[in-house]
């Protein structure tokens, strides 16, 4: 009887020892798990970072297209082109009290490469700087005296008086500075933007071709070119619709 009691007691102690070991291991695992701290992973702002966008522009330089890329959350780079054309614009003026008929036209074709810097994280305000190139930047006018002149018994028609053709050309490179609102690569799929700036045009080339009595005005070409060289700032206002791709 005593021998059986000893055997049962030994079996009970063995079972209890195994259970205690399992329980101890369980507590160790839970303790190790609780000691681990999981750091949250910050996701990159993938909505517009390192993305491209295309845009349509409507500006004082006409209609334009643009492609842009985001380099950092605060910096975008873009390539833009604008084109404007005005033809057969007629104007009747009085010069020196005499009627003059003018036919005018103008053509602009401009490309610029610019970078825009957004200093504030939660604002689309931007500063823009870059370089433009005007493949075309000219204005033309054809002036004709509209009527007759009488000197005593002599009557002179517009053909006798002559015509004058005037051309001014600002073609060349032009630095650009501006500011505005709206990212070149929008955070959302579609974005609007407004930009105001100015180009500093190259010195103009002026040409005057005159006939008959107006022919002496050709001698004023160099003086007129020098006077216009002080007027090289070209204001620029642009509205844009951008789509992120």
């Amino acid at each position: 009887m005593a021998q059986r009691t000893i055997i049962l007691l030994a079996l009970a102690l063995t079972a209890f020892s195994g259970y205690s070991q399992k329980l101890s291991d369980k507590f160790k695992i839970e303790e190790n798990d609780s000691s681990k701290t999981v750091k949250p992973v910050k996701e990159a702002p993938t909505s517009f970072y390192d993305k491209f966008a295309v845009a349509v522009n409507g500006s004082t330089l006409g209609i334009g297209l643009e492609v842009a890329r985001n380099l950092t959350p605060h910096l975008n780079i873009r390539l833009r082109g604008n084109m404007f054309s005005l033809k057969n614009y007629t104007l009747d003026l009085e010069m020196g009290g005499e009627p003059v008929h003018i036919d005018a036209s103008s053509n602009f074709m401009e490309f610029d490469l610019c970078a825009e810097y957004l200093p504030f994280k939660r604002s689309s305000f931007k500063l823009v700087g870059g370089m433009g190139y005007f493949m075309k930047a000219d204005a033309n006018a054809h002036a004709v005296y509209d009527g007759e002149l009488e000197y005593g018994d002599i009557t002179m028609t517009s053909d006798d008086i002559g015509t004058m053709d005037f051309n001014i050309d600002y073609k060349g490179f032009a630095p650009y500075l501006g500011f505005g609102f709206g990212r070149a690569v929008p955070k959302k799929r579609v974005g609007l933007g407004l930009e105001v700036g100015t180009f500093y045009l190259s010195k103009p080339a002026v040409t005057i071709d005159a006939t008959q009595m107006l022919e002496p005005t050709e001698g004023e070409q160099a003086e007129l070119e020098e006077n216009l060289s002080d007027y090289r700032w070209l204001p620029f206002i642009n509205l844009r619709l951008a789509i992120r791709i």
Side-chain angles (χ1 to χ4, degrees):
M1 183 68 179
Q3 185 178 3
R4 183 182 298 178
T5 302
I6 293 173
I7 293 173
L8 292 174
L9 183 59
L11 290 174
L13 290 173
T14 303
F16 180 78
S17 176
Y19 176 77
S20 299
Q21 182 65 37
K22 290 182 180 180
L23 188 63
S24 176
D25 294 340
K26 181 179 179 181
F27 278 118
K28 287 181 179 180
I29 292 174
E30 290 179 353
E31 183 180 357
N32 291 336
D33 290 342
S34 62
S35 64
K36 295 180 181 179
T37 56
V38 180
K39 295 182 180 180
V41 179
K42 294 183 179 180
E43 295 183 357
T46 57
S47 61
F48 68 99
Y49 177 65
D50 198 25
K51 300 289 185 178
F52 286 89
V54 293
V56 178
N57 297 287
S59 70
T60 50
L61 285 176
I63 301 298
L65 296 175
E66 175 185 310
V67 60
R69 183 181 179 184
N70 172 262
L71 300 180
T72 74
H74 294 278
L75 185 64
N76 298 312
I77 190 170
R78 72 185 189 205
L79 177 64
R80 178 177 58 190
N82 296 296
M83 183 172 62
F84 172 81
S85 181
L86 176 67
K87 296 181 179 180
N88 302 322
Y89 179 76
T90 60
L91 187 63
D92 292 314
L93 300 175
E94 284 193 3
M95 300 181 66
E98 303 296 339
V100 176
H101 179 79
I102 298 176
D103 292 317
S105 64
S106 181
N107 294 281
F108 284 87
M109 181 178 290
E110 178 270 335
F111 296 92
D112 59 76
L113 179 63
C114 293
E116 61 175 38
Y117 174 67
L118 296 101
F120 308 113
K121 184 177 181 179
R122 299 183 180 275
S123 173
S124 64
F125 174 77
K126 61 186 179 182
L127 301 173
V128 186
M131 179 66 70
Y133 179 73
F134 284 80
M135 297 183 65
K136 294 181 180 179
D138 59 72
N140 303 278
H142 176 74
V144 180
Y145 181 79
D146 190 13
E148 297 180 344
L149 286 178
E150 295 184 358
Y151 287 96
D153 296 332
I154 301 175
T155 301
M156 293 180 292
T157 64
S158 58
D159 292 335
D160 298 322
I161 297 171
T163 62
M164 183 175 66
D165 291 288
F166 172 82
N167 174 268
I168 178 172
D169 192 352
Y170 283 96
K171 181 173 63 176
F173 288 98
Y176 174 78
L177 289 175
F179 68 94
F181 294 89
R183 301 172 185 270
V185 180
K187 286 186 175 182
K188 298 181 179 180
R189 185 69 173 178
V190 179
L192 296 174
L194 170 65
E195 187 176 321
V196 178
T198 180
F199 289 94
Y200 187 65
L201 302 175
S202 58
K203 289 185 178 182
V206 177
T207 304
I208 299 176
D209 292 320
T211 63
Q212 302 295 88
M213 296 178 61
L214 298 177
E215 189 171 353
T217 57
E218 292 183 358
E220 300 177 7
Q221 178 175 303
E223 182 179 355
L224 182 59
E225 188 174 283
E226 181 64 25
N227 292 336
L228 289 175
S229 64
D230 295 330
Y231 299 92
R232 297 165 61 183
W233 294 100
L234 178 65
F236 178 75
I237 301 175
N238 183 51
L239 293 173
R240 62 192 295 276
L241 173 66
I243 301 175
R244 196 185 72 237
I245 56 177

